[in-house]
Amino acid sequence: MPQIRITGTTAVIDGKRVEGTTKGGRSRVVSIDGETAGFLRRHREQQRADRDKVEDGWKGADDYVFTTGWGEPIHPDTVSALMPKLISAHNSARPGSPLPHARLHDLRHVHATTLLAGVPVHVVAARLGHADPAITLRVYAHVIHEQAATAADVFAHAVKESDT
């Protein structure tokens, strides 16, 4: 199974790029699907082609997934600023299935709530970088409550099916 490693964070404070550790202070490995892994491989190949074009002008290392054309890490807000453009492009190409407005961080919440519909909470917590599943349960309590509300219906349906 393909994986990515989350090793730290990047922010801009007082106009300066600041790199730090994750909130928990440790890196984590997250499994990804094959299609995403393929996209990231193709992206890496394009970065290598960019590096070969600029030769000595390349200013980066291979540590970053998203870089400028000369290898420096992109500004942390760049991906966030791209979200409305990506959503707009998607909606133009697929008017029958539009996406709502979303911030980049909203994808983390969509990911978590989607997983909590069938993935054990300790697995979701590990993907999110929560040291304790109790954090995940607190942050996403509304999802757990929604699931609890449907649990009685699921059980009742199962019992009815077993009677027939």
Side-chain angles (χ1 to χ4, degrees):
M1 170 74 57
Q3 301 174 328
I4 59 172
R5 179 175 297 277
I6 311 297
T7 59
T9 61
T10 303
V12 174
I13 300 173
D14 294 330
K16 293 183 182 175
R17 180 184 189 87
V18 178
E19 297 192 14
T21 63
T22 61
K23 282 185 187 176
R26 59 191 188 285
S27 66
R28 67 183 179 279
V29 174
V30 178
S31 298
I32 57 174
D33 62 278
E35 187 175 350
T36 301
F39 173 83
L40 290 172
R41 273 194 224 69
R42 291 187 299 279
H43 177 69
R44 178 65 73 185
E45 289 168 11
Q46 182 59 53
Q47 281 181 315
R48 288 186 179 124
D50 290 345
R51 182 185 61 204
D52 292 345
K53 284 180 196 171
V54 297
E55 297 175 343
D56 292 338
W58 188 257
K59 297 181 180 182
D62 286 336
D63 297 346
Y64 296 94
V65 175
F66 300 105
T67 61
T68 64
W70 51 90
E72 292 179 323
I74 62 170
H75 190 279
D77 295 338
T78 300
V79 179
S80 294
L82 284 173
M83 278 296 292
K85 294 175 186 175
L86 293 171
I87 291 170
S88 178
H90 169 88
N91 291 348
S92 294
R94 296 175 188 87
S97 60
L99 295 173
H101 168 76
R103 299 168 302 142
L104 181 62
H105 192 73
D106 294 334
L107 295 180
R108 176 180 171 88
H109 296 298
V110 168
H111 182 72
T113 56
T114 301
L115 290 179
L116 286 169
V119 176
V121 69
H122 70 280
V123 174
V124 177
R127 287 183 71 83
L128 296 174
H130 293 164
D132 184 348
I135 296 167
T136 309
L137 289 170
R138 276 195 307 275
V139 172
Y140 297 99
H142 63 284
V143 176
I144 305 303
H145 292 307
E146 289 169 15
Q147 291 173 341
T150 62
D153 292 335
V154 169
F155 182 75
H157 178 73
V159 170
K160 284 181 185 176
E161 290 295 313
S162 68
D163 285 343
T164 58

